[in-house]
Amino acid sequence: MYRCERASALLKQKIDKEDDTKALDIKGVYQLQGGVDKYFKEFPTGGLWKGKNYTFDKRFAHAPSAVEAVERTKKVLGDDMKVEDIPVKSAEVEILGKCEACNKPWDMYRGKRRCPTCGVPSLICRECFEADKDGTRKLGREVRCDLCVTEDIRNKRQLKDREEREMKEYEQKLQRLDTNYEPPTQRKHAITRKPKPNPNRITRLFLKNMCAKQMDEAKLLEVLHPAKVTHIQWLTDRNTGKFYGSAFIEVKTPEDAGTVLAFDKTIVLGRKITVRYQQADSKDIWPIPNTEVSGGY
């Protein structure tokens, strides 16, 4: 499914269900029949189109044929191009973007540089690109995309915290609108990873190589959803008492254990976790007292 179709469906849903979106007084959601490419073919000089259309391939941007003809002429004639050299006289040659380093009007992506904060491709003009290349004026981390500058996002940690906060707020909002709503976190794993066989009906598992700094009970339950975890024994260093990334867990059913085992070798919080069945010894006390998950499973 194309991104525009997903965006249209989401906007229609928000208009129907969310009061703050309704307050924007959007009259309707429309799509171009045949897409932007067909529109450019029917209106080679641009029609009502302004600027360029971003593409997710090596072209980076797509424009009406008249505008692209101007771009090709520029590449041949360079800065010496005169008005009479323009193959199509059209106001659609207007540049809407700007260089992120010097703010010069610019709309062509060059090289492989990306915004150091969010990672989107950077709009850097020819002069600034060459200056960075020859070392006369380097492009530092302060050169960011317009959105990161506007939102005052200065590092990846700040961006991640904001995205997580906004996602949590939005999920809470959806839960208020629909009591049957289930957060989509880790839904991808639940759909694509089939439960592993569990012929011995084991309900105790061992997990290791988890991120010791970020993993906690809430995060682990979120990752292993929809498996129902009832107990977690966090393994800690004998001398320091600090969690070092391993744990024993108890789940409600053998089927839940198979679901958890399906997460073996999955990347979680930047680390590839290891999961295996670990049958409790008949001489051991298991589950260990005071290891119940908060509020049950």
Side-chain angles (χ1 to χ4, degrees):
M1 182 181 288
Y2 293 104
R3 294 170 178 84
C4 57
E5 293 173 338
R6 292 185 177 184
S8 298
L10 177 61
L11 185 54
K12 288 179 181 178
Q13 180 186 29
K14 290 170 71 68
I15 292 174
D16 291 338
K17 294 185 176 182
E18 301 178 20
D19 292 336
D20 51 355
T21 305
K22 292 179 182 178
L24 297 175
D25 197 28
I26 299 173
K27 300 302 182 183
V29 181
Y30 304 94
Q31 290 178 252
L32 289 171
Q33 185 174 5
V36 174
D37 187 63
K38 182 180 178 182
Y39 185 85
F40 287 171
K41 290 178 180 178
E42 293 192 11
F43 299 92
T45 59
L48 299 176
W49 183 272
K50 301 292 182 182
K52 295 181 179 179
N53 180 46
Y54 184 86
T55 61
F56 294 84
D57 56 32
K58 63 182 180 180
R59 295 176 300 169
F60 279 114
H62 183 208
S65 57
V67 177
E68 293 187 337
V70 173
E71 297 288 358
R72 290 192 295 270
T73 304
K74 283 183 178 180
K75 288 182 179 180
V76 175
L77 301 181
D79 295 333
D80 296 329
M81 187 179 75
K82 301 176 182 178
V83 175
E84 56 267 24
D85 296 325
I86 299 177
V88 179
K89 306 298 185 293
S90 173
E92 283 70 30
V93 180
E94 177 185 4
I95 296 176
L96 301 182
K98 63 181 181 180
C99 173
E100 295 169 12
C102 68
N103 292 322
K104 169 186 175 181
W106 192 259
D107 62 1
M108 296 175 63
Y109 290 97
R110 303 179 63 85
K112 297 182 179 180
R113 188 185 190 277
R114 294 177 175 269
C115 173
T117 302
C118 68
V120 303
S122 295
L123 271 176
I124 303 295
C125 71
R126 182 182 293 105
E127 290 78 8
C128 291
F129 181 81
E130 294 297 335
D132 178 70
K133 188 175 180 180
D134 61 29
T136 56
R137 188 173 71 252
K138 300 297 289 182
L139 298 173
R141 294 186 62 82
E142 72 281 357
V143 179
R144 297 165 289 151
C145 69
D146 283 349
L147 185 59
C148 284
V149 171
T150 301
E151 300 293 335
D152 195 29
I153 303 296
R154 299 180 178 276
N155 56 67
K156 292 181 179 180
R157 179 73 255 178
Q158 186 181 0
L159 177 65
K160 183 177 180 180
D161 288 344
R162 175 172 176 167
E163 289 176 342
E164 290 179 350
R165 183 180 69 254
E166 291 178 345
M167 179 59 70
K168 185 176 181 180
E169 291 173 352
Y170 186 65
E171 288 180 352
Q172 290 174 344
K173 177 181 178 181
L174 291 181
Q175 287 176 329
R176 290 195 298 270
L177 295 172
D178 183 1
T179 55
N180 294 321
Y181 172 78
E182 181 179 343
T185 307
Q186 299 298 327
R187 188 176 295 163
K188 175 180 66 175
H189 300 297
I191 293 175
T192 60
R193 295 181 179 275
K194 295 182 179 180
K196 297 293 184 179
N198 189 3
N200 296 323
R201 311 288 290 173
I202 297 171
T203 56
R204 182 179 187 241
L205 301 101
F206 176 67
L207 289 75
K208 72 175 183 178
N209 201 38
M210 294 183 285
C211 179
K213 292 183 178 180
Q214 299 183 55
M215 184 60 74
D216 55 22
E217 180 180 299
K219 180 62 67 176
L220 184 58
L221 295 179
E222 183 181 51
V223 168
L224 300 182
H225 179 80
K228 306 299 190 297
V229 180
T230 60
H231 296 73
I232 303 175
Q233 180 191 2
W234 303 103
L235 302 183
T236 57
D237 185 272
R238 292 183 178 180
N239 298 321
T240 64
K242 293 183 178 181
F243 170 58
Y244 58 80
S246 298
F248 288 104
I249 68 170
E250 178 73 14
V251 294
K252 185 180 180 183
T253 67
E255 290 72 26
D256 286 329
T259 298
V260 174
L261 190 65
F263 285 89
D264 185 43
K265 308 305 181 186
T266 298
I267 303 296
V268 177
L269 298 176
R271 299 179 67 88
K272 183 183 291 187
I273 64 172
T274 297
V275 184
R276 66 170 182 262
Y277 293 132
Q278 189 73 43
Q279 180 74 289
D281 191 292
S282 58
K283 299 178 181 179
D284 294 338
I285 298 176
W286 182 261
I288 295 176
N290 302 319
T291 60
E292 300 88 348
V293 299
S294 301
Y297 53 83

Tab-separated table of all heavy atoms in Angstrom, residues 228-264:
chain	number	residue	atom	x	y	z
A	228	LYS	N	1.536	-14.216	28.532
A	228	LYS	CA	1.178	-13.777	29.878
A	228	LYS	C	2.280	-14.193	30.858
A	228	LYS	O	2.415	-15.367	31.207
A	228	LYS	CB	-0.154	-14.392	30.313
A	228	LYS	CG	-1.307	-14.144	29.348
A	228	LYS	CD	-1.603	-12.668	29.176
A	228	LYS	CE	-2.909	-12.446	28.409
A	228	LYS	NZ	-2.841	-12.972	27.026
A	229	VAL	N	3.075	-13.225	31.284
A	229	VAL	CA	4.175	-13.476	32.223
A	229	VAL	C	3.660	-13.267	33.642
A	229	VAL	O	3.057	-12.240	33.949
A	229	VAL	CB	5.366	-12.524	31.947
A	229	VAL	CG1	6.505	-12.795	32.922
A	229	VAL	CG2	5.852	-12.674	30.502
A	230	THR	N	3.895	-14.252	34.500
A	230	THR	CA	3.393	-14.163	35.876
A	230	THR	C	4.492	-13.830	36.887
A	230	THR	O	4.226	-13.186	37.904
A	230	THR	CB	2.718	-15.479	36.289
A	230	THR	OG1	3.685	-16.544	36.213
A	230	THR	CG2	1.546	-15.797	35.362
A	231	HIS	N	5.737	-14.293	36.622
A	231	HIS	CA	6.837	-14.049	37.561
A	231	HIS	C	8.110	-13.699	36.791
A	231	HIS	O	8.342	-14.234	35.693
A	231	HIS	CB	7.123	-15.288	38.432
A	231	HIS	CG	5.996	-15.676	39.338
A	231	HIS	ND1	4.849	-16.273	38.862
A	231	HIS	CD2	5.852	-15.558	40.692
A	231	HIS	CE1	4.032	-16.509	39.886
A	231	HIS	NE2	4.615	-16.093	41.002
A	232	ILE	N	8.911	-12.812	37.361
A	232	ILE	CA	10.212	-12.462	36.787
A	232	ILE	C	11.258	-12.468	37.896
A	232	ILE	O	11.110	-11.774	38.905
A	232	ILE	CB	10.208	-11.072	36.126
A	232	ILE	CG1	9.134	-10.976	35.048
A	232	ILE	CG2	11.584	-10.761	35.530
A	232	ILE	CD1	9.000	-9.582	34.441
A	233	GLN	N	12.311	-13.266	37.729
A	233	GLN	CA	13.438	-13.261	38.655
A	233	GLN	C	14.623	-12.586	37.953
A	233	GLN	O	15.275	-13.174	37.106
A	233	GLN	CB	13.835	-14.680	39.079
A	233	GLN	CG	15.023	-14.705	40.042
A	233	GLN	CD	15.583	-16.103	40.257
A	233	GLN	OE1	15.110	-17.074	39.660
A	233	GLN	NE2	16.595	-16.208	41.108
A	234	TRP	N	14.878	-11.346	38.300
A	234	TRP	CA	15.989	-10.608	37.702
A	234	TRP	C	17.306	-11.097	38.311
A	234	TRP	O	17.437	-11.150	39.530
A	234	TRP	CB	15.842	-9.106	37.947
A	234	TRP	CG	14.553	-8.529	37.447
A	234	TRP	CD1	13.462	-8.197	38.190
A	234	TRP	CD2	14.223	-8.222	36.094
A	234	TRP	NE1	12.468	-7.699	37.404
A	234	TRP	CE2	12.905	-7.698	36.098
A	234	TRP	CE3	14.893	-8.339	34.877
A	234	TRP	CZ2	12.256	-7.286	34.934
A	234	TRP	CZ3	14.249	-7.924	33.715
A	234	TRP	CH2	12.955	-7.415	33.742
A	235	LEU	N	18.264	-11.471	37.503
A	235	LEU	CA	19.556	-11.952	38.002
A	235	LEU	C	20.512	-10.768	38.154
A	235	LEU	O	20.695	-9.987	37.215
A	235	LEU	CB	20.135	-12.996	37.053
A	235	LEU	CG	19.241	-14.223	36.812
A	235	LEU	CD1	19.944	-15.231	35.920
A	235	LEU	CD2	18.842	-14.861	38.144
A	236	THR	N	21.098	-10.659	39.325
A	236	THR	CA	21.954	-9.509	39.626
A	236	THR	C	23.361	-9.953	40.044
A	236	THR	O	23.574	-11.089	40.475
A	236	THR	CB	21.344	-8.655	40.757
A	236	THR	OG1	21.153	-9.487	41.914
A	236	THR	CG2	19.999	-8.088	40.334
A	237	ASP	N	24.294	-9.035	39.922
A	237	ASP	CA	25.678	-9.293	40.323
A	237	ASP	C	25.762	-9.456	41.846
A	237	ASP	O	25.184	-8.666	42.593
A	237	ASP	CB	26.569	-8.138	39.857
A	237	ASP	CG	28.031	-8.406	40.133
A	237	ASP	OD1	28.478	-8.065	41.246
A	237	ASP	OD2	28.714	-8.932	39.242
A	238	ARG	N	26.475	-10.458	42.307
A	238	ARG	CA	26.555	-10.725	43.749
A	238	ARG	C	27.222	-9.596	44.514
A	238	ARG	O	26.871	-9.324	45.670
A	238	ARG	CB	27.336	-12.025	43.991
A	238	ARG	CG	26.613	-13.276	43.516
A	238	ARG	CD	27.416	-14.513	43.863
A	238	ARG	NE	26.720	-15.742	43.449
A	238	ARG	CZ	27.193	-16.958	43.636
A	238	ARG	NH1	28.383	-17.130	44.237
A	238	ARG	NH2	26.501	-18.020	43.239
A	239	ASN	N	28.191	-8.945	43.896
A	239	ASN	CA	28.937	-7.895	44.595
A	239	ASN	C	28.252	-6.540	44.528
A	239	ASN	O	28.178	-5.820	45.526
A	239	ASN	CB	30.350	-7.790	44.019
A	239	ASN	CG	31.150	-9.063	44.211
A	239	ASN	OD1	31.054	-9.702	45.265
A	239	ASN	ND2	31.932	-9.450	43.209
A	240	THR	N	27.749	-6.180	43.356
A	240	THR	CA	27.172	-4.839	43.188
A	240	THR	C	25.657	-4.812	43.315
A	240	THR	O	25.069	-3.772	43.590
A	240	THR	CB	27.546	-4.269	41.807
A	240	THR	OG1	26.953	-5.089	40.779
A	240	THR	CG2	29.055	-4.265	41.621
A	241	GLY	N	25.026	-5.986	43.115
A	241	GLY	CA	23.566	-6.032	43.182
A	241	GLY	C	22.893	-5.481	41.943
A	241	GLY	O	21.663	-5.351	41.908
A	242	LYS	N	23.670	-5.167	40.911
A	242	LYS	CA	23.105	-4.583	39.690
A	242	LYS	C	22.661	-5.665	38.710
A	242	LYS	O	23.303	-6.694	38.567
A	242	LYS	CB	24.132	-3.673	39.019
A	242	LYS	CG	24.460	-2.414	39.815
A	242	LYS	CD	25.429	-1.528	39.041
A	242	LYS	CE	25.722	-0.246	39.802
A	242	LYS	NZ	26.658	0.639	39.052
A	243	PHE	N	21.547	-5.402	38.067
A	243	PHE	CA	21.026	-6.297	37.036
A	243	PHE	C	22.002	-6.339	35.869
A	243	PHE	O	22.483	-5.312	35.410
A	243	PHE	CB	19.653	-5.785	36.576
A	243	PHE	CG	19.105	-6.474	35.360
A	243	PHE	CD1	18.903	-7.846	35.335
A	243	PHE	CD2	18.758	-5.738	34.231
A	243	PHE	CE1	18.384	-8.482	34.217
A	243	PHE	CE2	18.238	-6.358	33.106
A	243	PHE	CZ	18.051	-7.732	33.094
A	244	TYR	N	22.314	-7.556	35.376
A	244	TYR	CA	23.311	-7.653	34.313
A	244	TYR	C	22.749	-8.206	33.000
A	244	TYR	O	23.494	-8.615	32.113
A	244	TYR	CB	24.519	-8.487	34.755
A	244	TYR	CG	24.234	-9.896	35.204
A	244	TYR	CD1	24.046	-10.916	34.279
A	244	TYR	CD2	24.177	-10.210	36.554
A	244	TYR	CE1	23.815	-12.218	34.681
A	244	TYR	CE2	23.954	-11.521	36.973
A	244	TYR	CZ	23.773	-12.516	36.038
A	244	TYR	OH	23.536	-13.814	36.453
A	245	GLY	N	21.419	-8.230	32.855
A	245	GLY	CA	20.832	-8.555	31.563
A	245	GLY	C	20.228	-9.931	31.416
A	245	GLY	O	19.841	-10.314	30.311
A	246	SER	N	20.138	-10.699	32.502
A	246	SER	CA	19.561	-12.036	32.435
A	246	SER	C	18.427	-12.178	33.440
A	246	SER	O	18.386	-11.462	34.461
A	246	SER	CB	20.619	-13.110	32.717
A	246	SER	OG	21.646	-13.068	31.741
A	247	ALA	N	17.504	-13.107	33.161
A	247	ALA	CA	16.369	-13.306	34.066
A	247	ALA	C	15.718	-14.657	33.801
A	247	ALA	O	15.810	-15.201	32.690
A	247	ALA	CB	15.347	-12.189	33.895
A	248	PHE	N	15.080	-15.186	34.840
A	248	PHE	CA	14.188	-16.334	34.692
A	248	PHE	C	12.765	-15.789	34.738
A	248	PHE	O	12.461	-14.885	35.523
A	248	PHE	CB	14.383	-17.344	35.829
A	248	PHE	CG	15.668	-18.119	35.740
A	248	PHE	CD1	16.735	-17.816	36.576
A	248	PHE	CD2	15.805	-19.156	34.829
A	248	PHE	CE1	17.919	-18.517	36.509
A	248	PHE	CE2	16.997	-19.876	34.751
A	248	PHE	CZ	18.059	-19.549	35.592
A	249	ILE	N	11.889	-16.346	33.894
A	249	ILE	CA	10.498	-15.914	33.935
A	249	ILE	C	9.581	-17.128	33.971
A	249	ILE	O	9.943	-18.219	33.515
A	249	ILE	CB	10.123	-15.027	32.736
A	249	ILE	CG1	10.145	-15.835	31.425
A	249	ILE	CG2	11.021	-13.809	32.641
A	249	ILE	CD1	9.553	-15.082	30.240
A	250	GLU	N	8.403	-16.945	34.535
A	250	GLU	CA	7.356	-17.953	34.536
A	250	GLU	C	6.175	-17.377	33.754
A	250	GLU	O	5.810	-16.202	33.920
A	250	GLU	CB	6.925	-18.293	35.961
A	250	GLU	CG	5.803	-19.314	36.068
A	250	GLU	CD	6.255	-20.740	35.749
A	250	GLU	OE1	7.483	-20.984	35.705
A	250	GLU	OE2	5.374	-21.607	35.559
A	251	VAL	N	5.598	-18.191	32.872
A	251	VAL	CA	4.448	-17.735	32.103
A	251	VAL	C	3.229	-18.561	32.477
A	251	VAL	O	3.340	-19.619	33.118
A	251	VAL	CB	4.717	-17.823	30.585
A	251	VAL	CG1	5.805	-16.848	30.179
A	251	VAL	CG2	5.092	-19.247	30.172
A	252	LYS	N	2.058	-18.094	32.088
A	252	LYS	CA	0.820	-18.730	32.534
A	252	LYS	C	0.608	-20.110	31.933
A	252	LYS	O	0.196	-21.046	32.630
A	252	LYS	CB	-0.360	-17.821	32.185
A	252	LYS	CG	-1.693	-18.329	32.725
A	252	LYS	CD	-2.833	-17.400	32.349
A	252	LYS	CE	-4.156	-17.933	32.916
A	252	LYS	NZ	-5.297	-17.084	32.499
A	253	THR	N	0.886	-20.262	30.639
A	253	THR	CA	0.599	-21.539	29.971
A	253	THR	C	1.800	-21.990	29.135
A	253	THR	O	2.662	-21.184	28.779
A	253	THR	CB	-0.614	-21.409	29.036
A	253	THR	OG1	-0.267	-20.538	27.939
A	253	THR	CG2	-1.827	-20.844	29.770
A	254	PRO	N	1.863	-23.275	28.788
A	254	PRO	CA	2.922	-23.754	27.887
A	254	PRO	C	2.870	-23.051	26.519
A	254	PRO	O	3.895	-22.855	25.876
A	254	PRO	CB	2.626	-25.247	27.756
A	254	PRO	CG	1.905	-25.602	29.024
A	254	PRO	CD	1.056	-24.395	29.320
A	255	GLU	N	1.654	-22.692	26.093
A	255	GLU	CA	1.521	-21.977	24.823
A	255	GLU	C	2.173	-20.600	24.912
A	255	GLU	O	2.812	-20.130	23.955
A	255	GLU	CB	0.042	-21.842	24.438
A	255	GLU	CG	-0.637	-23.133	24.034
A	255	GLU	CD	-0.884	-24.090	25.202
A	255	GLU	OE1	-0.988	-23.598	26.361
A	255	GLU	OE2	-0.968	-25.314	24.968
A	256	ASP	N	2.048	-19.944	26.069
A	256	ASP	CA	2.721	-18.662	26.274
A	256	ASP	C	4.235	-18.837	26.210
A	256	ASP	O	4.954	-17.982	25.682
A	256	ASP	CB	2.331	-18.062	27.630
A	256	ASP	CG	0.911	-17.510	27.634
A	256	ASP	OD1	0.460	-17.055	26.569
A	256	ASP	OD2	0.263	-17.548	28.692
A	257	ALA	N	4.722	-19.957	26.740
A	257	ALA	CA	6.162	-20.221	26.715
A	257	ALA	C	6.657	-20.352	25.276
A	257	ALA	O	7.732	-19.864	24.915
A	257	ALA	CB	6.483	-21.488	27.502
A	258	GLY	N	5.859	-21.022	24.420
A	258	GLY	CA	6.222	-21.137	23.014
A	258	GLY	C	6.260	-19.785	22.326
A	258	GLY	O	7.115	-19.522	21.468
A	259	THR	N	5.346	-18.902	22.720
A	259	THR	CA	5.330	-17.542	22.168
A	259	THR	C	6.586	-16.782	22.559
A	259	THR	O	7.191	-16.071	21.748
A	259	THR	CB	4.084	-16.785	22.660
A	259	THR	OG1	2.903	-17.452	22.202
A	259	THR	CG2	4.075	-15.351	22.157
A	260	VAL	N	7.004	-16.935	23.829
A	260	VAL	CA	8.209	-16.245	24.299
A	260	VAL	C	9.449	-16.794	23.596
A	260	VAL	O	10.331	-16.037	23.182
A	260	VAL	CB	8.363	-16.382	25.830
A	260	VAL	CG1	9.697	-15.800	26.293
A	260	VAL	CG2	7.213	-15.676	26.542
A	261	LEU	N	9.521	-18.111	23.430
A	261	LEU	CA	10.690	-18.707	22.780
A	261	LEU	C	10.848	-18.203	21.337
A	261	LEU	O	11.961	-18.151	20.811
A	261	LEU	CB	10.586	-20.233	22.785
A	261	LEU	CG	11.856	-20.964	22.337
A	261	LEU	CD1	13.001	-20.722	23.314
A	261	LEU	CD2	11.600	-22.461	22.180
A	262	ALA	N	9.750	-17.809	20.716
A	262	ALA	CA	9.809	-17.287	19.342
A	262	ALA	C	10.604	-15.986	19.268
A	262	ALA	O	10.998	-15.562	18.184
A	262	ALA	CB	8.397	-17.080	18.805
A	263	PHE	N	10.846	-15.355	20.410
A	263	PHE	CA	11.611	-14.110	20.442
A	263	PHE	C	13.121	-14.358	20.519
A	263	PHE	O	13.897	-13.407	20.581
A	263	PHE	CB	11.176	-13.240	21.630
A	263	PHE	CG	9.857	-12.564	21.425
A	263	PHE	CD1	8.689	-13.192	21.798
A	263	PHE	CD2	9.781	-11.317	20.845
A	263	PHE	CE1	7.464	-12.589	21.605
A	263	PHE	CE2	8.559	-10.694	20.644
A	263	PHE	CZ	7.383	-11.331	21.022
A	264	ASP	N	13.524	-15.618	20.524
A	264	ASP	CA	14.956	-15.923	20.558
A	264	ASP	C	15.664	-15.291	19.354
A	264	ASP	O	15.173	-15.363	18.224
A	264	ASP	CB	15.163	-17.435	20.548
A	264	ASP	CG	16.621	-17.831	20.699
A	264	ASP	OD1	17.312	-17.230	21.535
A	264	ASP	OD2	17.054	-18.743	19.972
